[in-house]
Amino acid sequence: MTVDLSRLPSVDRVLADEAGATLVTTHGRVPATDAVRAALADLRAARALADVAGVALIAGKRLTAEMAPSQRRMINLTGTVLHTNLGRAVLAEEAVRAAAEVLAAPSNLEYDVASGKRGERDDHVRGWLRKLTGAEDAVIVNNNAAAVVLVLNTLALGREVPVSRGELIEIGGAFRMPDIMARSGCRLVEIGTTNRTHARDYEGAVGPDTAMLMKVHPSNYAVVGFTNVVAEKEIAAIAHRHGLPFVNDLGSGQLVDLERWGLPHEPTVREAIADGADLVTFSGDKLLGGPQCGIVVGKRELVQKLAKNPLKRALRLDKGRLAALEATLRLYADPDRLAERLPTLRLLTRTAADIEAQARRVLPAVTSALTGHASVSVEPCRSQIGSGALPVDRLESHCLVLRPVATGKRAGGAVDRLASAFRALAVPVIGRIEDDSLRFDLRCLDDEAGFLAQLASLHVSEGAGG
Ligand SMILES: *Cc1c(COP(=O)(O)O)cnc(C)c1O
C-alpha cells in the first residue's frame, strides 16, 4: 500500500490549530515548533499519516518527556542512609531555606556589611567550625576529594608522603588514594603492609624529601584479624619530632559523638584534632548531614597556606551551599534537638520498633496493590550508614519483602519486573534485590503518605508467558 505523505499537515497548520496553540502557550513557540517538526519527521520516516490533532498529540508527548526535569526526587528504601548515587545527605529544612534565600538574591557572600569592605566567603562558617571542632581555622572546598587534593598540593608538591598500605583506599567514583597523590603532584611512599603497620615504619620512611605524615580513614572496608595500626597520637608525635605536619583524612567527619544516640562510635573531628592532627579533612554530606562540600580544619598557619593556593579558587564553594552548610552547623549548637532537626541523624536514630510499626502500617496497602504479582511480608533486616562511615556496623531495621508469585515461564525476571515497576512510579521507589525478592528497608521512608498514594498507579508487567 502506498501512503501519500503529502497529505500530512504542515508545521504551520498544526501550530495554528487549537491543540497546536496549546503546545505553544504551555511550552513556548520554539520548543513547540521543534516538537511538531520532529513529530512530522517521525511520521514520514514510518510512512504513516496523521491529521492535525494527531500530530499535535505526538508532539505533546515529546514535549512532556523533553521538559520533564532530569534530576528528581526518589524514595530511598535501599537500606543505605547516605547513598552516594541517591545524593547522600538530605538537608535539614533550615539548610534548604537558607540556600534558597541567598540563591534568589544578592548576598554578602564576600562582603563585610559592617565595614563596607571586601570579605572572605569562608568566614560565614569559620567561627562555627572552630567552635564545633576545637581547631584554630577552617577552609571549605567542593568536596572532601578536593580537600585532600588541596592539602597534598599545598604541603607536598614534588615531595614525599608516607601512607600505610592498609590505608591506600579506593572509594566510589574513582577516588583512589595513589592516583589522587600523583595528580596532586606528590610522591606516595607506601609503608607497612596491608594488615600491619608499625611506628617504626613511619620513622623509617621519614627523609629529607618527606612533606608530611598522613592517615586515611579506611572508609568502605575494615581490616580484621592479625592487624596493627599506629594510633593517631603516635603518628602525630613522630611527625612533630621531625618538624612535619600530620594530616588526618577522616572521610566522614562527625561533629558529635554518635554514641550519645546509641550508635556505634565514629571518630569525631574534635577527637582527631585533640589527637594531634595539624589538619583534618572531611565531607559535608556524609555523617555531618549537610551539603556536598569538603572541610579542612586545623592549624591556622597551614590553613592560611591552603587558602592562598590558587587551586582554592578553582575548588571553592558557591553561596547556596555555603549558606546550607552554615545553617546545618548552627543546628549542631543545640545537640539536644539535633536528632529531630537533622534528617541524617533522625533516620540513623530511628528505632527498629518504630520502623517495624511503620512496616505493619503500610503492609495491607502494599499487599493489595501487588495482588496476583507478589506476596508481601515484614521481616527484620539491617540498614547501613553508607558513604564509608562505619562500613561493618549495621543498624537493626525492618523491611517489606516482596516475593513474586509468578510461576513457570513467567517466573524468569519476575523480581526485576517488580523492581522496574516501582522505579517507573512518578517518584521512583528504590529497594534492594536479594534472594529472589525485592526488599524495601523502611528506615528512610519519610513520606509515607506519598509512598502509599502512588501505589494506585503501580503497573507490574506480566513477562514472557503473560
Ligand atoms: C568519602 C571519602 C573521601 C571523599 O570525599 P567526597 O566528599 O566524596 O569527595 C575521601 N577520603 C575518605 C577517607 C572518604 O571516606
Side-chain angles (χ1 to χ4, degrees):
M1 197 180 72
T2 57
V3 178
D4 180 10
L5 291 175
S6 72
R7 285 170 53 208
L8 276 172
S10 69
V11 174
D12 288 343
R13 264 190 60 213
V14 177
L15 290 175
D17 184 73
E18 199 186 320
T22 306
L23 294 182
V24 173
T25 37
T26 314
H27 300 283
R29 175 156 298 275
V30 173
T33 310
D34 286 349
V36 169
R37 207 167 272 140
L40 287 168
D42 283 353
L43 287 163
R44 265 184 228 106
R47 305 199 63 72
L49 289 177
D51 59 8
V52 166
V55 175
L57 192 71
I58 299 170
K61 281 193 181 139
R62 288 185 77 101
L63 278 168
T64 307
E66 211 173 280
M67 292 296 177
S70 170
Q71 194 180 158
R72 13 185 214 145
R73 63 186 301 159
M74 306 263 276
I75 297 180
N76 171 16
L77 303 185
T78 59
T80 300
V81 178
L82 293 166
H83 199 301
T84 300
N85 302 145
L86 302 184
R88 288 199 188 155
V90 169
L91 295 191
E93 267 170 49
E94 289 84 348
V96 174
R97 271 203 305 274
E101 170 117 7
V102 298
L103 286 174
S107 78
N108 61 334
L109 177 63
E110 291 186 348
Y111 188 83
D112 182 54
V113 179
S115 69
K117 298 211 170 83
R118 193 177 187 287
E120 227 297 347
R121 66 178 62 207
D122 290 354
D123 280 349
H124 298 289
V125 293
R126 183 173 281 127
W128 282 114
L129 286 166
R130 286 172 51 187
K131 187 176 152 86
L132 293 166
T133 67
E136 291 174 8
D137 208 348
V139 70
I140 324 298
V141 287
N142 178 61
N143 57 13
N144 190 35
V148 172
V149 167
L150 185 64
V151 168
L152 291 170
N153 181 269
T154 307
L155 304 182
L157 186 62
R159 300 175 66 198
E160 291 176 355
V161 181
V163 179
S164 163
R165 287 193 171 88
E167 298 170 3
L168 293 176
I169 58 163
E170 167 177 320
I171 57 179
F175 179 93
R176 303 179 113 192
M177 217 16 126
D179 298 344
I180 292 288
M181 291 237 166
R183 289 290 174 149
S184 304
C186 53
R187 293 201 300 282
L188 166 66
V189 178
E190 297 183 18
I191 62 168
T193 59
T194 309
N195 56 331
R196 287 170 73 84
T197 299
H198 305 276
R200 62 174 184 273
D201 294 321
Y202 286 94
E203 280 288 358
V206 175
D209 273 354
T210 308
M212 62 192 226
L213 294 186
M214 186 174 190
K215 181 169 182 68
V216 184
H217 189 272
S219 307
N220 300 323
Y221 76 102
V223 181
V224 294
F226 183 55
T227 63
N228 191 62
V229 294
V230 185
E232 278 87 339
K233 274 198 174 97
E234 221 176 325
I235 309 177
I238 297 167
H240 297 156
R241 251 200 320 277
H242 293 278
L244 299 171
F246 168 47
V247 175
N248 189 348
D249 176 20
L250 265 191
S252 226
Q254 185 52 19
L255 295 178
V256 284
D257 191 346
L258 294 175
E259 279 182 84
R260 183 191 167 118
W261 292 277
L263 291 165
H265 184 79
E266 169 85 0
T268 65
V269 179
R270 185 179 286 279
E271 285 166 354
I273 293 287
D275 283 346
D278 299 291
L279 290 176
V280 178
T281 61
F282 55 102
S283 295
D285 56 350
K286 292 184 180 172
L287 280 173
L288 197 150
Q292 179 192 302
C293 64
I295 301 169
V296 191
V297 298
K299 292 271 158 59
R300 170 150 311 132
E301 181 214 338
L302 297 174
V303 170
Q304 287 309 310
K305 279 190 189 166
L306 302 182
K308 289 199 187 95
N309 186 330
L311 272 182
K312 166 63 166 64
R313 174 65 175 73
L315 302 173
R316 74 186 185 185
L317 220 59
D318 68 284
K319 61 177 179 172
R321 283 191 287 158
L322 262 173
L325 176 63
E326 184 194 339
T328 306
L329 294 175
R330 226 182 293 123
L331 296 180
Y332 277 89
D334 178 11
D336 296 340
R337 280 186 291 173
L338 191 60
E340 292 158 44
R341 297 157 87 188
L342 193 70
T344 300
L345 194 57
R346 176 160 46 77
L347 297 173
L348 288 173
T349 54
R350 281 190 72 189
T351 63
D354 174 37
I355 301 167
E356 180 176 9
Q358 184 180 38
R360 304 237 171 258
R361 225 168 29 239
V362 301
L363 179 66
V366 178
T367 304
S368 107
L370 288 170
T371 306
H373 297 291
S375 69
V376 188
S377 58
V378 174
E379 286 180 24
C381 66
R382 298 177 136 229
S383 323
Q384 35 183 322
I385 297 177
S387 288
L390 303 159
V392 288
D393 286 294
R394 292 289 184 272
L395 309 171
E396 300 290 334
S397 185
H398 275 82
C399 60
L400 295 177
V401 180
L402 283 55
R403 284 203 173 77
V405 294
T407 50
K409 254 198 282 179
R410 282 174 41 209
V415 181
D416 293 329
R417 287 198 296 278
L418 209 52
S420 97
F422 278 94
R423 285 202 309 274
L425 292 169
V427 183
V429 177
I430 312 297
R432 205 173 58 225
I433 292 177
E434 213 178 280
D435 296 336
D436 288 324
S437 67
L438 177 61
R439 283 157 192 262
F440 290 152
D441 181 335
L442 297 194
R443 175 173 294 279
C444 299
L445 181 55
D446 250 345
D447 183 12
E448 187 178 315
F451 171 76
L452 291 174
Q454 286 200 112
L455 291 175
S457 45
L458 188 73
H459 176 74
V460 185
S461 81
E462 288 295 334

